[in-house]
Amino acid sequence: MPEQNSKVWRTLQQYGFTPIAIVAFVLMFLVPFVVHDEFLLRLLIVGLIYACLAMGFDFTAGFINIVNFGYAAFMGLGAYTSAILAVKFGLSPFIGFLVAPLVTAVAGLLTGLLTLRLRGIFAAVFTWFVGLALMSVCANWVSLTKGHNGLSVPYLFSDPSNKPYYFVIALLCLITWVIMNRFARGHAGLTYKAIGDDMNAAMAAGINPTKVKVINFTVSCFIAGLAGAFYAHFVGVLTPKVMHTSNTIEVMAMAYLGGRGSIWGGFLAAIVFIPLLEYLKFLAEYRLIIYGILLVAVMIFYPDGFSGFVTNKLKKTKFGIFCRNLLQKLSPVKAKS
């Protein structure tokens, strides 16, 4: 029986379900039963959209050390794909949730094949060019996207309440969490880290860096398309502005503030900072400046981001010691001190 429990626990850990994560997700799904203010609930939904995007972005930037400056464009591609399927072909938005991520994954695959043979800033700049090209297509293909006039998109639910939308995006966050952790905690995650830390050493160990990076990039773009499909049917109107680089910068800020390579750090940063800055309207206009100041502070004082800060603090608290002891009892592999 203990061996069976250990096996189950080990399987849960592979998908990122630590005791703290399980409690956090339970609390996340209980939020609509506690928060009845529609405006606040809407802000939390926006925060969860950015949480999905931050996890997907960090999967590339934090593991293979490639910054996808066109990430918002891939999200916009997913949004427009789902919207056009609904508007032009009358398909259900939920079908768009299945098709849009596949379209963005294919776009990510093609971009990766062209881009990821390059290194450093060259790959980042190329992804930026791809993002600008996608935004230009959406702006100029007026017959299909309505350009800057905006494409009216059917809402996901006829109910004006934000609660159904919250449960859907919370479920998408959970799916994103499972996908990201399944890759990050397995053999693939070690491969990504090896390439991100030292590509030459990884190549010497027999790793094909281009193949691995393309797979990573494709999965990241899949997540962007998933979040974009929800966004389209949540806001109801799409313009090419959704693909603007400033949105990528905001996602990048969440991933870096949370801590590169942590996945959960970007998730937590997004659900804290995005609703907070939206709620404090007088700060919303200066959000990019605020992100810049916070990023500089993080680089100076806590290079590992919020996740590194929390991890270090937990090691010194009774709660952290309790969690480590719990892991040692439930898992046959001792938790690292």
Side-chain angles (χ1 to χ4, degrees):
M1 192 67 173
E3 292 182 2
Q4 186 177 359
N5 290 338
S6 296
K7 185 177 180 180
V8 171
W9 179 247
R10 193 162 58 247
T11 302
L12 287 173
Q13 283 185 310
Q14 289 177 351
Y15 292 93
F17 291 114
T18 62
I20 296 177
I22 293 172
V23 172
F25 276 110
V26 169
L27 292 176
M28 183 179 73
F29 279 97
L30 291 177
V31 164
F33 299 104
V34 179
V35 177
H36 301 291
D37 186 326
E38 290 292 331
F39 176 68
L40 183 56
L41 202 57
R42 191 172 185 85
L43 294 184
L44 291 174
I45 292 171
V46 175
L48 288 175
I49 293 173
Y50 274 90
C52 283
L53 293 171
M55 286 190 285
F57 184 90
D58 184 48
F59 188 59
T60 297
F63 284 81
I64 62 173
N65 204 24
I66 297 293
V67 178
N68 183 359
F69 276 115
Y71 200 65
F74 288 99
M75 175 224 178
L77 177 62
Y80 271 105
T81 299
S82 185
I84 290 169
L85 288 175
V87 173
K88 301 292 184 181
F89 301 98
L91 297 179
S92 167
F94 291 101
I95 295 179
F97 280 14
L98 300 176
V99 177
L102 296 178
V103 171
T104 54
V106 171
L109 174 63
L110 297 176
T111 303
L113 291 173
L114 294 172
T115 303
L116 299 180
R117 297 179 187 276
L118 305 173
R119 296 194 185 188
I121 191 64
F122 299 104
V125 170
F126 198 98
T127 59
W128 182 40
F129 289 161
V130 171
L132 292 177
L134 288 173
M135 186 170 67
S136 179
V137 169
C138 288
N140 292 290
W141 198 348
V142 179
S143 61
L144 183 66
T145 66
K146 304 299 181 183
H148 291 287
N149 292 325
L151 178 65
S152 296
V153 186
Y155 289 103
L156 193 60
F157 300 104
S158 57
D159 188 352
S161 173
N162 286 306
K163 287 185 178 180
Y165 291 94
Y166 181 92
F167 285 118
V168 172
I169 189 58
L171 179 60
L172 294 182
C173 276
L174 181 60
I175 292 172
T176 302
W177 175 267
V178 169
I179 294 173
M180 295 295 92
N181 277 280
R182 187 65 187 91
F183 278 96
R185 291 172 179 264
H187 181 267
L190 296 176
T191 306
Y192 299 147
K193 282 289 189 181
I195 291 175
D197 292 339
D198 192 330
M199 186 181 297
N200 292 326
M203 292 173 65
I207 297 173
N208 183 341
T210 302
K211 177 182 176 181
V212 172
K213 288 192 291 184
V214 167
I215 294 173
N216 179 291
F217 195 85
T218 302
V219 173
S220 176
C221 290
F222 178 92
I223 298 301
L226 188 64
F230 174 84
Y231 177 85
H233 300 286
F234 174 64
V235 299
V237 178
L238 281 180
T239 65
K241 189 178 179 181
V242 70
M243 296 181 165
H244 199 275
T245 307
S246 62
N247 293 323
T248 298
I249 298 299
E250 196 159 9
V251 174
M252 182 178 70
M254 294 301 101
Y256 277 60
L257 287 173
R260 289 178 58 191
S262 64
I263 297 179
W264 69 268
F267 176 90
L268 191 58
I271 61 176
V272 171
F273 285 107
I274 297 296
L276 181 62
L277 292 178
E278 287 288 345
Y279 188 78
L280 301 175
K281 293 274 184 192
F282 65 95
L283 293 177
E285 297 179 1
Y286 308 101
R287 60 198 306 161
L288 293 181
I289 298 175
I290 294 171
Y291 291 147
I293 295 172
L294 289 174
L295 285 172
V296 171
V298 165
M299 285 188 291
I300 294 174
F301 299 106
Y302 292 102
D304 293 332
F306 185 70
S307 60
F309 172 78
V310 171
T311 302
N312 290 332
K313 291 298 181 183
L314 279 178
K315 288 180 179 179
K316 302 175 183 179
T317 63
K318 291 182 179 179
F319 180 69
I321 295 172
F322 168 77
C323 289
R324 291 211 311 276
N325 291 337
L326 181 63
L327 287 174
Q328 289 176 349
K329 291 179 180 178
L330 294 177
S331 176
V333 180
K334 291 186 177 182
K336 294 181 180 180
S337 57

